[in-house]
Amino acid sequence: MQESNFINTKYEIVFESENIYYVKLDAKLISDYLTMVNDPDVASKISHKIRTYTYEQELDWVNSKLAEGALCFSMIEKATGEYIGNIEIMEINDNIGELGISITASKQDKHYGTESIKAMLKYAYEELDLDGMELNVYDTNSKAIHCYERVGFIRDGIGKTEEDIHMRISR
């Protein structure tokens, strides 16, 4: 409970799951964001165009996401208060959200992907009344594909590029 009070005063919690707080993007987390997006292994799984981001670029990204009211949340580990990654509904078309997630290297392989996707689906269905979610994942990202399938996503053809798999899940 004491950790929760600290997190409440440090970040704006939007929702939570068993082990994770989902908070609004925050400039206080930019060094954590940069550690994640500038890690070549993480970057190779979320972008075809790997590049190094600066503090100013990341601050601009945070401010633009906040200004547009994006459904993008930072994940904070309840037990430690440490940054896990970000999860986002990138756009909504025909009442279907497009899911995006990235987890910093030090927090991978701890089942946070599964927990956070389930929590985001619950949020999407209960708070946003969405009918389903879809995503695109690189066909070489077997850990992510396994995670999505474990949650209930099914493969639904080629994604945005020939190297992507499109996946979907319905309510």
Side-chain angles (χ1 to χ4, degrees):
M1 189 66 174
Q2 190 175 22
E3 181 68 36
S4 175
N5 288 335
F6 172 73
I7 297 296
N8 277 327
T9 59
K10 192 169 183 180
Y11 306 113
E12 186 178 337
I13 298 172
V14 179
F15 61 102
E16 64 183 88
S17 58
E18 183 179 352
N19 300 296
I20 305 170
Y21 293 114
Y22 303 84
V23 304
K24 281 193 172 183
L25 295 178
D26 196 306
K28 292 185 289 258
L29 289 166
I30 288 180
S31 65
D32 292 307
Y33 299 156
L34 287 170
T35 297
M36 180 176 67
V37 298
N38 289 333
D39 179 308
D41 187 51
V42 174
S44 70
K45 294 185 177 49
I46 59 176
S47 178
H48 288 294
K49 298 176 184 173
I50 298 173
R51 61 186 199 144
T52 301
Y53 293 89
T54 66
Y55 181 91
E56 292 75 21
Q57 289 170 319
E58 205 65 10
L59 180 61
D60 287 346
W61 177 80
V62 168
N63 288 333
S64 70
K65 288 289 187 181
L66 291 172
E68 72 187 46
L71 296 168
C72 186
F73 308 102
S74 294
M75 298 178 284
I76 305 295
E77 189 175 48
K78 285 183 175 182
T80 64
E82 294 174 355
Y83 174 73
I84 296 170
N86 292 337
I87 191 164
E88 177 177 14
I89 299 174
M90 297 182 289
E91 45 182 87
I92 300 171
N93 292 312
D94 296 324
N95 217 38
I96 304 293
E98 182 181 358
L99 181 70
I101 182 172
S102 56
I103 296 177
T104 196
S106 66
K107 298 297 180 182
Q108 291 182 12
D109 300 318
K110 298 177 186 281
H111 304 287
Y112 288 135
T114 300
E115 180 177 338
S116 62
I117 293 167
K118 286 179 179 178
M120 184 59 104
L121 289 170
K122 183 176 192 267
Y123 180 81
Y125 297 153
E126 294 178 4
E127 301 299 321
L128 306 174
D129 199 31
L130 295 184
D131 295 324
M133 296 285 270
E134 64 182 359
L135 58 86
N136 292 286
V137 59
Y138 296 158
D139 59 9
T140 56
N141 194 348
S142 58
K143 286 197 304 188
I145 294 166
H146 178 70
C147 176
Y148 299 137
E149 289 176 335
R150 189 172 41 235
V151 171
F153 279 84
I154 59 169
R155 295 173 193 231
D156 188 34
I158 296 171
K160 292 180 180 178
T161 72
E162 290 291 321
E163 297 94 19
D164 298 342
I165 298 170
H166 182 262
M167 301 182 83
R168 65 180 170 80
I169 190 171
S170 297
R171 205 188 260 232

